[in-house]
Amino acid sequence: MSSDKPYSADSQLDIDALLFHNKPTPGKLAIAATKPMSTQRDLALAYSPGVAAPVRAIAADPDAVYDYTSKGNMVAVVSNGTAILGLGNLGPRASKPVMEGKAILFKRFADIDAVDIEIDYTDPEEFIACVRGFGDTFGGINLEDIKSPECFDIERRLREMLDIPVFHDDQHGTAIIATAGLINACDITGRKLEDTKVVLCGAGAAGLSVLELIESIGVRPENTIVVDIDGVVYEGREGLHERLAKHAVKTEARTLAEAAVGADVLLGLSAAGVFTKEIIASLAPNPIVFAMANPTPEITPEAVKSVRDDVIMATGRSDYPNQVNNVLGFPYIFRGALDVRARTINEEMKIAAARALAALAREDVPDEVAVAYKGERLQYGRDYIIPSPFDPRLISWVPPFVAKAAVDSGVARLPFAEGVNYTHTLARRLDPTAALQQRVAASIRAEEKTIVFAEGEEPSVIRAAHAFQSQGLGKAILVARENVALANMRELGIPTDTLEICNARLSEHNSDYADFLYGRLQRKGYLRRDVQRLVNNDRNVFSACMLKMGQADGMVTGVTRHSNVVMRDVKLALEPVEGGRAVGVAAAVSRGRTLIIGDISVTEFPDAQALAEIAIATANAARRFGLTPHLAFLSYSSFGNPPGERSEKMQHAVRILDELGVDFEYEGELAADIALDPDHHELYPFSRLSEPANVLIMPAVHSASIAVRLLKAAGGATVIGPMLVGLEKPVQIARLGASVTDIVNLASIAAYDLNKPTA
């Protein structure tokens, strides 16, 4: 399918989305090798002649393909683009961004490698034949955005043909999450599933799958009524396709309003505005309403609340409680299925996933979830019947239920590895970069901080400030001349009334800042006119004064100036925290490990006292990121061997921490490989580190900078930072020419405040 008219983005979000998908590399996926390919021997083992050995092994035992290839952790995300989101039949090419997005969700939430495959066949027979042809190369198939009713037959027949899990997420993903919510909603309202009267509005793929799954867990078919676009699905109604005809019931009701009278549960998978206030008023006492149409539900919680206050409500949206979100399901269902090499995803596995999610919602809510709800300590109840998609326990909670159900129902090739080791293995799969950023974003949304963007005339800074504010991360203030900033906003297509602009020269606080700065600098060679000129003309100085005087909570700068120049300007107005010092910290995140490294940008050659202060600031930053610090002072030596002046400096820093009695693990001096070795106690049984180091203190800025760049370039780590800690107010300094995403991330870090003590 194609259009004669070129697409024109009509909002800043659309523009940003196009840039996100285009820069720096088109698309959202890449393929990375899992083995080194640097020597002739590597090539010989990876391809000819070495590859012949696994070929022969698989020929002798076909299941050995799981042992010698990536099949066991590889899912194909397959679509023909006939039902893309809410956009309709736009064809396979147009579906590719969505399928790539689905693939990265597999990776992000469950560490499953996924490949998107878009097929240019609308005929079901051709589509089925195509998928059957390539299907066996994958560990599972996720069907997506295929129109109803063809999707039902396509999934059923492929499940019969292929010896791997085939899962149509549009059907079963929503069904599993909605079923989990219904289990808990019935529990809270004191209902038994077998006695519950259910009305389903919307007889598409998702709606019928929800109905069938809740019937599998106890809802009786005779207690359900289905309503589609033509009204109630009743016995004798003509023109029903086979899947829908199975749900026809004897009833006098012919409209949704008639069917809903006295119903306990109203499920919506239809369209915006379909549920009226009159329909809500006619439901049974303590009704359960799941309005799951996206992006606008069948009725809003506000409208329901205006009619009655005894409703348990769920929607598909993240800005309301009880979000029915498919990402709670498919990554973890496939994770469990792949881990036992399941041949299919059957009803038992789907029920197990639903019951697992329902059980997780009844557990104590972790901090990562609590802060996402503006600090409210949520607990199981009417507004919390479904776990948050960002609950970090999902990866280790749901897959074991699914894997066990696969084994118990006889569709697994491997036994279930029940126990602590399996759950720990699952937990380590979580993308640590995303976990860090998720923790930051959730927290600052709850705290609503004001962040100053000091270089407010720069287009990239304006876009970052707009993104920061529109994402609900906090309030943004641009320090800029109004005419320049407004002209650039109009050029960028950003509404000119969305961002506050503060002109340093014209600010009502200008003289107050000058008075403060003169009092601070008059004995350091500055005249009154000098500090007035700084306040008027230097946006970094002005912004730092805003922080000092309480007109803002944090600032981000550095896009147009070198970091050492920015630091000099900022320190004219701000001091280090009491008893501390400014420190540049980086988080280097790679698969299964996060390292917090300091100091990488501020103190060039720290002495022992400075190293101790750097250690304290860096350990606190690690805690703010949710890590328990296990800190190592690094050197070329370990515990005095070989001896040297620089290693003695690190030893002295350890003694200073001994005297201070800090409340985290630390050790040193240690060579880097020893500090990161989980078995280093075998050689050094006296080491105070109970686990491999995750906080590394470097002997000098140059060694820290070199290490971080090596980790990024050669080690494949994702590096966040440098992040500035240790100033009395949160300031983050971007690199010259930083991207919009980098600026937004640093603004978020400023709002998060890495100096803030952890509970």
Side-chain angles (χ1 to χ4, degrees), residues 147-156 159 168 170-172 175 200 203-213 215-216 226 228 233 239-248 347 350:
K147 72 184 180 72
S148 175
E150 289 93 331
C151 60
F152 303 129
D153 193 45
I154 287 172
E155 186 201 38
R156 178 184 61 80
R159 287 181 62 190
H168 184 212
D170 296 324
Q171 293 183 61
H172 307 301
L200 167 67
L208 293 182
S209 294
V210 170
L211 189 65
E212 290 164 1
L213 191 58
E215 289 177 351
S216 294
V226 178
D228 69 1
V233 177
L240 300 176
H241 63 76
E242 180 183 357
R243 180 91 176 266
L244 186 54
K246 291 192 306 182
H247 299 287
E347 204 73 0
K350 288 183 277 185

Side-chain angles (χ1 to χ4, degrees), residues 82-105:
T82 53
I84 304 173
L85 302 175
L87 303 174
N89 181 3
L90 300 179
R93 286 193 179 186
S95 75
K96 189 171 179 65
V98 183
M99 300 309 110
E100 282 190 357
K102 193 74 170 221
I104 62 175
L105 292 179

Side-chain angles (χ1 to χ4, degrees), residues 3-9:
S3 171
D4 295 333
K5 296 181 180 179
Y7 174 71
S8 177

Side-chain angles (χ1 to χ4, degrees), residues 557-629:
T557 184
V559 177
T560 63
R561 296 187 187 182
H562 287 289
S563 60
N564 62 319
V565 176
V566 175
M567 275 296 295
R568 181 195 64 200
D569 293 343
V570 167
K571 289 172 77 172
L572 291 175
L574 299 175
E575 291 283 349
V577 294
E578 185 177 354
R581 66 173 50 240
V583 178
V585 172
V589 184
S590 57
R591 180 57 52 201
R593 171 174 280 172
T594 298
L595 299 175
I596 308 298
I597 302 168
D599 173 17
I600 73 166
S601 61
V602 181
T603 306
E604 186 174 4
F605 290 107
D607 58 19
Q609 180 63 41
L611 286 167
E613 293 168 357
I614 289 168
I616 293 170
T618 309
N620 189 64
R623 280 201 176 111
R624 285 290 286 152
F625 281 132
L627 302 176
T628 299

Side-chain angles (χ1 to χ4, degrees), residues 367-569:
D367 291 341
E368 291 90 336
V369 176
V371 294
Y373 290 86
K374 297 189 179 298
E376 179 185 356
R377 176 57 65 179
L378 292 178
Q379 59 183 358
Y380 176 59
R382 289 176 173 269
D383 289 334
Y384 195 72
I385 61 173
I386 302 170
S388 163
F390 293 114
D391 191 321
R393 300 169 298 179
L394 284 162
I395 182 63
S396 57
W397 184 279
V398 179
F401 282 80
V402 177
K404 188 174 188 304
V407 171
D408 291 347
S409 61
V411 299
R413 293 178 175 87
L414 294 178
F416 175 49
E418 187 172 10
V420 174
N421 287 342
Y422 181 48
T423 58
H424 283 182
T425 299
L426 289 168
R428 286 195 296 270
R429 286 183 176 275
L430 193 66
D431 178 356
T433 307
L436 289 180
Q437 293 173 340
Q438 159 195 326
R439 182 185 182 93
V440 169
S443 177
I444 64 177
R445 283 192 175 100
E447 296 177 348
E448 298 180 343
K449 298 288 186 67
T450 297
I451 300 301
V452 178
F453 291 75
E455 298 152 307
E457 296 177 3
E458 293 297 310
S460 61
V461 174
I462 294 172
R463 287 178 53 215
H466 182 260
F468 178 82
Q469 186 165 289
S470 62
Q471 291 172 32
L473 299 173
K475 179 183 178 182
I477 297 178
L478 300 176
V479 176
R481 292 167 294 178
E482 291 90 339
N483 62 326
V484 178
L486 291 172
N488 285 336
M489 290 173 72
R490 284 189 287 268
E491 180 71 23
L492 293 168
I494 295 174
T496 55
D497 60 350
T498 56
L499 294 172
E500 180 179 337
I501 301 170
C502 182
N503 186 320
R505 188 180 294 272
L506 303 178
S507 168
E508 61 179 316
H509 300 293
N510 181 285
S511 61
D512 294 335
Y513 295 169
D515 290 343
F516 156 72
L517 206 60
Y518 184 55
R520 178 176 168 81
L521 301 178
Q522 59 189 349
R523 293 184 179 276
K524 296 182 179 181
Y526 287 80
L527 301 176
R528 172 73 193 205
R529 62 173 178 268
D530 297 328
V531 297
Q532 187 66 64
R533 190 180 303 114
L534 285 171
V535 171
N536 288 350
N537 300 326
D538 193 305
R539 290 169 189 155
N540 286 324
V541 173
F542 181 85
S543 299
C545 288
M546 288 183 73
L547 269 61
K548 180 69 177 183
M549 305 296 282
Q551 275 82 47
D553 300 300
M555 68 177 275
V556 61
T557 184
V559 177
T560 63
R561 296 187 187 182
H562 287 289
S563 60
N564 62 319
V565 176
V566 175
M567 275 296 295
R568 181 195 64 200
D569 293 343

